[in-house]
C-alpha cells in the first residue's frame, strides 16, 4: 500500500466516531479563525485607538479581545478533547482487532514470529498509529486553517507582499518530500528495534532461573545493551532528521519574512500603508511561524504513523486459520473413529519433511500410543488432529469425514488436549480447570475433575482451595501440580477424543501412578492418542505405533513389540537398562 492509501485506511478507522471527529474539526476551524481575528484586530487597535483616537473603537477593541480569547479557549478544549477521545477509541479498537486476529491465526504464523515483536505491535505501534490519526490531523487541520486564514488576511492587506512571501513554498515542498522518504525508512527500522528490545527483555524475564543458574547475567546484559543502543541510535536519527527539517524550513520562512519587512519599510511602500495596516501585516507574518513550525514537525509523526500502520494492518490482514466456507458435515458428538491416510507434513519444505506417508487407524474407544526417538514426528502427528496444522499431503479423517471439511470449533470441541508444555493462566484454579467453553461448569463438577486427576489432594490444602490464584503461568505451583490441573481440565471437558502429549512428563513416580490410574479410567470411554517418552505408561495401549524419522516403522502391542527385538525393544532396553535377553523375555 502506498503511504496515501495507508493513511486513508487509517482515517477510515475513525469513521464510527465521525460526530466527535466533526466536532473537533469545528473546534479547530474556530481556533484558526481566532488566530486570524487577533491579527486583524491590530489594524483598528492602532489606527482607531492610537492614531484616530476614535472613542467607539477604544471601547470596542478590549471587548473584542476578551471575546476572542473566550472563543479560543472553548475551541481549543473542543478540538483537543474531541481528538483525544477519538484517538483513545481508535487505540482500543485497533488493539481489539489485533488481539482477536492473534487468537485466530494458525500455529504456523507463530512459528515465524517472535512474541516480543508481536507485543511491540500491540503496544508501541498502535500508539504511533493513533498519534498520526489524531494529533497529526489536529495540527494539519488547525494549523493549516490558521495559515490559510492569515495568508488571506495578508493578501487582503497587501497582495504584492503576500505573493513575495509565497515564493518560499516550492523549495519548502521539495524539502518536505525528500525528508518524508527518510522519515519512513528510519521509522520502519525503529519499529523493528522496539520489538527487539521487547523480545530480549521478555526472554530474560521468562528465563530468569536459567539466567541465574548458568550465570547468564553478563550475556543477557550485553544482548539487551546492543538492542537498546540500536534503538537509541535510530531514535536520535529520527530526532536529527526532524530537528534539521523543521529548522531548515523555518530558516527559509524567516528569510522570506526578513525580505518582506525590508520591502515594506521602503519609503514608497510606507507612504501607501497605515501604521495599523503595516503592524497587522507584520503580526500576521509573525503568527505564521508557529503553525508553520508545527506543520513541518508533524511530518515526523505522520511518517512514523504510516510505518506503524503498515505493521498494524499487516497483522490485522493476516489470514486466519483455514476453514471451509461452508462445513460439509456436522458431527454432533463424534464416535471417535480416527484415520490417517498417507499423511505427509513439513514445517518448512526446504528443511525436509517431518512426516513421510504415515497411515494408521484408531477405532472408537481404542488407546493408541505413539513412541519413538526425539524428533521422530510424534507431537507433530497428534497436532494434525485438532488442525493446529494441515497435512501437506494425505488426509486425516474423523468418523469418515476429512477434517478440512469440518467446522473448526466443532472439531476442537471433540478433543480434550493435554500437552507437554502445561499452560495455566494468572487466574484461580477453578477458572484454569473450567477454562473457555467450560467456564459454566459447577464447582461440584470442577471438584470431581480435580479428584479424578488426583489434584484435589493439594488443592484442598491451599488456603483458598479452588479459588487460589496460581500466578503467571502457574508459577506458584510445582510442575506436577500444574500437570494435574491440565489433566483435570481435560477430564472436565469430557470429549470423545483424548490427546495426551507427554501428559505425565512432569510427574514424580508416585503422582504418575495415581494420575495413570485416573487416565486409564477416563480412556475406557473415549478414543485416546498418547505420545509417550516413558514406555511404562503405554504397556496397556491397544496399539503402539513406533515412529522413526517421520515414518511408522513398527506397530503392535507391548509384548509383541518386545518379542520382535526392533526399535521399540531397543528403546525399552535403554530406558530400563535391561540386557537384550531380558528385554525380549
Amino acid at each position: 500500500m502506498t503511504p496515501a492509501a495507508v493513511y486513508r485506511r487509517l482515517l477510515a478507522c475513525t469513521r464510527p466516531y465521525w460526530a466527535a471527529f466533526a466536532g473537533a474539526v469545528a473546534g479547530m476551524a474556530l481556533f484558526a479563525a481566532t488566530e486570524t481575528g487577533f491579527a486583524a484586530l491590530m489594524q483598528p487597535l492602532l489606527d482607531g485607538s492610537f492614531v484616530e483616537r476614535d472613542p467607539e473603537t477604544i471601547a470596542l477593541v478590549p471587548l473584542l479581545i476578551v471575546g476572542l480569547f473566550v472563543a479560543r479557549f472553548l475551541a481549543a478544549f473542543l478540538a483537543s478533547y474531541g481528538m483525544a477521545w477519538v484517538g483513545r477509541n481508535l487505540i482500543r479498537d485497533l488493539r481489539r482487532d489485533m488481539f482477536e486476529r492473534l487468537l485466530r491465526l494458525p500455529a504456523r504464523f507463530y512459528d515465524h514470529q517472535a512474541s516480543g515483536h508481536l507485543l511491540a505491535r500491540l503496544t508501541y505501534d498502535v500508539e504511533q498509529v493513533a498519534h498520526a490519526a489524531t494529533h497529526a490531523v489536529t495540527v494539519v487541520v488547525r494549523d493549516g486553517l490558521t495559515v490559510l486564514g492569515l495568508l488571506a488576511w495578508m493578501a487582503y492587506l497587501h497582495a504584492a507582499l503576500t505573493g513575495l512571501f509565497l515564493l518560499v513554498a516550492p523549495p519548502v515542498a521539495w524539502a518536505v518530500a525528500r525528508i518524508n522518504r527518510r522519515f519512513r525508512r528510519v521509522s520502519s527500522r525503529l519499529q523493528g528495534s522496539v520489538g527487539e528490545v521487547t523480545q530480549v527483555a521478555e526472554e530474560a524475564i521468562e528465563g530468569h532461573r536459567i539466567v541465574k543458574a548458568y550465570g547468564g547475567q553478563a550475556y543477557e546484559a550485553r544482548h539487551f545493551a546492543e538492542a537498546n543502543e540500536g534503538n537509541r541510535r535510530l531514535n536520535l536519527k529520527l530526532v536529527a532528521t526532524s530537528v534539521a527539517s523543521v529548522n531548515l524550513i523555518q530558516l527559509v520562512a524567516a528569510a522570506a519574512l526578513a525580505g518582506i519587512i525590508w520591502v515594506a519599510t521602503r519609503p514608497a511602500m510606507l507612504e501607501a500603508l497605515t501604521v495599523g495596516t503595516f503592524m497587522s501585516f507584520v503580526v500576521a507574518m509573525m503568527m505564521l511561524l508557529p503553525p508553520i513550525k508545527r506543520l513541518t514537525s508533524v511530518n515526523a509523526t505522520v511518517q512514523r504513523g504510516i510505518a506503524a500502520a503498515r505493521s498494524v494492518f499487516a497483522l490485522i490482514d493476516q489470514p486466519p486459520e483455514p476453514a471451509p466456507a461452508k462445513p460439509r458435515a456436522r458431527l454432533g458428538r463424534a464416535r471417535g473413529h480416527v484415520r490417517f491416510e498417507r499423511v505427509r507434513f513439513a514445517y518448512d519444505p526446504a528443511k525436509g519433511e517431518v512426516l513421510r506417508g504415515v497411515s494408521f487407524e484408531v477405532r472408537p474407544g481404542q488407546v493408541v500410543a505413539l513412541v519413538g526417538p526425539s524428533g521422530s514426528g510424534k507431537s507433530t502427528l497428534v497436532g494434525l488432529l485438532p488442525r493446529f496444522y494441515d497435512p501437506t499431503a494425505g488426509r486425516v479423517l474423523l468418523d469418515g469425514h476429512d477434517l478440512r471439511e469440518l467446522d473448526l470449533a466443532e472439531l476442537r470441541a471433540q478433543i480434550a488436549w493435554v500437552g507437554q508444555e502445561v499452560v495455566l493462566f494468572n487466574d484461580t484454579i477453578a477458572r484454569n480447570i473450567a477454562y473457555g467453553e467450560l467456564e459454566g461448569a459447577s464447582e461440584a463438577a470442577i471438584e470431581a475433575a480435580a479428584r479424578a486427576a488426583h489434584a484435589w489432594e493439594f488443592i484442598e490444602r491451599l488456603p483458598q482451595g479452588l479459588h487460589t490464584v496460581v500466578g503467571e503461568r502457574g508459577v506458584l505451583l510445582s510442575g506436577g501440580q500444574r500437570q494435574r490441573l491440565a489433566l483435570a481440565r481435560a477430564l472436565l471437558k469430557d470429549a470423545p477424543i483424548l490427546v495426551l502429549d507427554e501428559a505425565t512428563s512432569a510427574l514424580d513416580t508416585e503422582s504418575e501412578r495415581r494420575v495413570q490410574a485416573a487416565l486409564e479410567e477416563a480412556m475406557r470411554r473415549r478414543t485416546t492418542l498418547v505420545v509417550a517418552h516413558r514406555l511404562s505408561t503405554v504397556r496397556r495401549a491397544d496399539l503402539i505405533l513406533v515412529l522413526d524419522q517421520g515414518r511408522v516403522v513398527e506397530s503392535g502391542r507391548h509384548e509383541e513389540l518386545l518379542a520382535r527385538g526392533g526399535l521399540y525393544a531397543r528403546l525399552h532396553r535403554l530406558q530400563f537398562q535391561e540386557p537384550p535377553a531380558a528385554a525380549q523375555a
Side-chain angles (χ1 to χ4, degrees):
M1 296 176 68
T2 63
V6 171
Y7 205 76
R8 281 197 300 271
R9 179 174 176 182
L10 180 56
L11 291 178
C13 293
T14 66
R15 195 171 296 147
Y17 314 108
W18 66 269
F21 192 90
V25 169
M28 296 173 208
L30 179 58
F31 184 92
T34 63
E35 294 274 276
T36 306
F38 182 77
L41 274 176
M42 292 298 101
Q43 187 179 35
L45 176 64
L46 293 173
D47 288 342
S49 299
F50 293 97
V51 177
E52 299 173 4
R53 301 185 184 276
D54 180 24
E56 292 184 5
T57 303
I58 291 172
L60 182 61
V61 167
L63 295 176
L64 290 175
I65 291 174
V66 172
L68 193 69
F69 277 88
V70 168
R72 181 188 178 91
F73 166 77
L74 294 174
F77 181 84
L78 179 62
S80 298
Y81 185 81
M83 290 306 290
W85 189 85
V86 172
R88 298 322 300 182
N89 279 283
L90 178 63
I91 288 172
R92 179 200 62 196
D93 292 350
L94 287 175
R95 283 184 176 152
R96 177 200 63 210
D97 293 345
M98 292 171 74
F99 189 72
E100 288 180 356
R101 182 49 53 103
L102 285 170
L103 294 176
R104 288 167 174 76
L105 289 173
R108 193 180 290 276
F109 171 83
Y110 291 97
D111 294 341
H112 303 283
Q113 295 287 334
S115 57
H117 287 275
L118 293 176
L119 290 174
R121 290 192 194 185
L122 202 59
T123 53
Y124 175 81
D125 287 4
V126 171
E127 291 285 350
Q128 298 300 313
V129 166
H131 206 50
T134 55
H135 170 74
V137 169
T138 299
V139 172
V140 170
V141 174
R142 184 191 63 199
D143 292 328
L145 290 175
T146 298
V147 169
L148 290 175
L150 289 171
L151 286 174
W153 175 247
M154 289 165 60
Y156 170 77
L157 293 176
H158 203 290
L161 289 177
T162 306
L164 182 62
F165 185 81
L166 292 176
L167 289 176
V168 302
V172 167
W174 177 84
V176 168
R178 293 292 300 271
I179 291 163
N180 280 354
R181 289 196 289 272
R182 179 168 174 79
F183 270 132
R184 283 195 292 272
R185 287 197 304 270
V186 177
S187 296
S188 296
R189 292 170 60 194
L190 182 59
Q191 287 167 222
S193 76
V194 172
E196 183 68 19
V197 169
T198 308
Q199 179 66 24
V200 173
E202 182 186 25
E203 287 179 347
I205 291 168
E206 291 181 356
H208 68 96
R209 295 185 183 218
I210 296 297
V211 173
K212 292 181 176 68
Y214 286 88
Q217 291 93 336
Y219 169 79
E220 293 299 336
R222 286 196 307 274
H223 196 185
F224 184 82
E226 290 171 4
N228 205 21
E229 175 63 17
N231 180 264
R232 182 192 70 87
R233 284 198 301 268
L234 288 170
N235 268 293
L236 287 178
K237 281 185 179 181
L238 205 62
V239 169
T241 304
S242 178
V243 171
S245 66
V246 169
N247 285 281
L248 177 63
I249 292 169
Q250 286 187 71
L251 180 61
V252 174
L257 177 62
I260 289 170
I261 292 176
W262 183 82
V263 171
T265 53
R266 295 302 86 200
M269 190 68 72
L270 286 175
E271 291 177 4
L273 295 173
T274 67
V275 174
T277 300
F278 176 75
M279 286 306 300
S280 182
F281 191 91
V282 171
V283 167
M285 279 196 302
M286 298 299 292
M287 291 179 71
L288 274 173
L289 291 181
I292 287 175
K293 177 182 177 180
R294 288 190 293 268
L295 284 169
T296 54
S297 61
V298 80
N299 184 48
T301 300
V302 171
Q303 298 308 318
R304 278 200 304 270
I306 288 173
R310 277 187 172 140
S311 172
V312 168
F313 293 144
L315 176 59
I316 292 174
D317 293 339
Q318 284 288 330
E321 289 183 301
K326 184 178 181 181
R328 299 182 189 175
R330 309 295 299 182
L331 284 174
R333 182 176 175 89
R335 293 184 298 113
H337 187 188
V338 177
R339 192 163 74 247
F340 283 69
E341 295 182 348
R342 301 178 299 280
V343 169
R344 310 182 79 89
F345 179 78
Y347 291 101
D348 183 351
K351 296 179 181 178
E353 291 184 317
V354 179
L355 298 175
R356 305 175 182 181
V358 175
S359 297
F360 66 91
E361 185 176 8
V362 187
R363 298 192 177 279
Q366 273 193 323
V367 177
V368 173
L370 304 172
V371 302
S374 296
S376 58
K378 306 183 296 294
S379 294
T380 300
L381 192 64
V382 294
L384 300 179
L385 190 55
R387 288 193 67 196
F388 295 150
Y389 300 92
D390 282 330
T392 50
R395 59 180 187 160
V396 183
L397 297 98
L398 174 59
D399 291 353
H401 303 292
D402 191 319
L403 299 187
R404 286 168 288 203
E405 298 177 354
L406 301 175
D407 178 74
L408 264 179
E410 187 179 15
L411 167 64
R412 289 171 180 171
Q414 314 296 328
I415 302 168
W417 177 281
V418 183
Q420 52 189 311
E421 182 182 349
V422 176
V423 175
L424 295 179
F425 302 92
N426 190 17
D427 209 331
T428 64
I429 288 175
R431 287 178 178 168
N432 269 287
I433 294 175
Y435 175 72
E437 294 177 345
L438 306 175
E439 64 180 344
S442 66
E443 192 162 309
I446 296 171
E447 180 180 334
R451 288 182 182 277
H454 288 262
W456 188 251
E457 59 192 43
F458 76 82
I459 293 174
E460 64 180 348
R461 293 197 299 267
L462 296 172
Q464 294 175 289
L466 283 170
H467 303 290
T468 302
V469 176
V470 301
E472 186 179 0
R473 301 190 177 213
V475 70
L476 302 179
L477 303 176
S478 69
Q481 289 171 337
R482 291 196 294 269
Q483 199 114 36
R484 279 182 273 176
L485 289 187
L487 290 169
R489 182 192 295 158
L491 293 173
L492 180 63
K493 187 171 184 179
D494 190 30
I497 300 172
L498 178 63
V499 177
L500 305 172
D501 186 0
E502 301 279 11
T504 59
S505 61
L507 302 181
D508 55 42
T509 304
E510 181 63 27
S511 297
E512 184 182 355
R513 288 199 187 105
R514 294 177 180 179
V515 173
Q516 197 65 37
L519 289 176
E520 286 175 4
E521 178 64 27
M523 290 177 193
R524 288 185 189 136
R525 302 190 303 274
R526 52 183 56 84
T527 301
T528 307
L529 277 78
V530 183
V531 175
H533 176 68
R534 296 181 184 177
L535 300 186
S536 59
T537 62
V538 301
R539 290 175 182 268
R540 299 183 185 178
D542 298 306
L543 177 66
I544 299 173
L545 301 174
V546 184
L547 275 76
D548 188 27
Q549 297 183 7
R551 293 187 175 91
V552 176
V553 295
E554 293 180 324
S555 64
R557 294 182 65 88
H558 174 72
E559 295 78 8
E560 297 172 6
L561 294 172
L562 284 181
R564 290 180 193 170
L567 177 58
Y568 182 83
R570 186 164 73 252
L571 293 172
H572 190 276
R573 184 167 63 248
L574 290 171
Q575 195 166 117
F576 293 95
Q577 297 182 346
E578 298 174 345
Q584 295 175 7

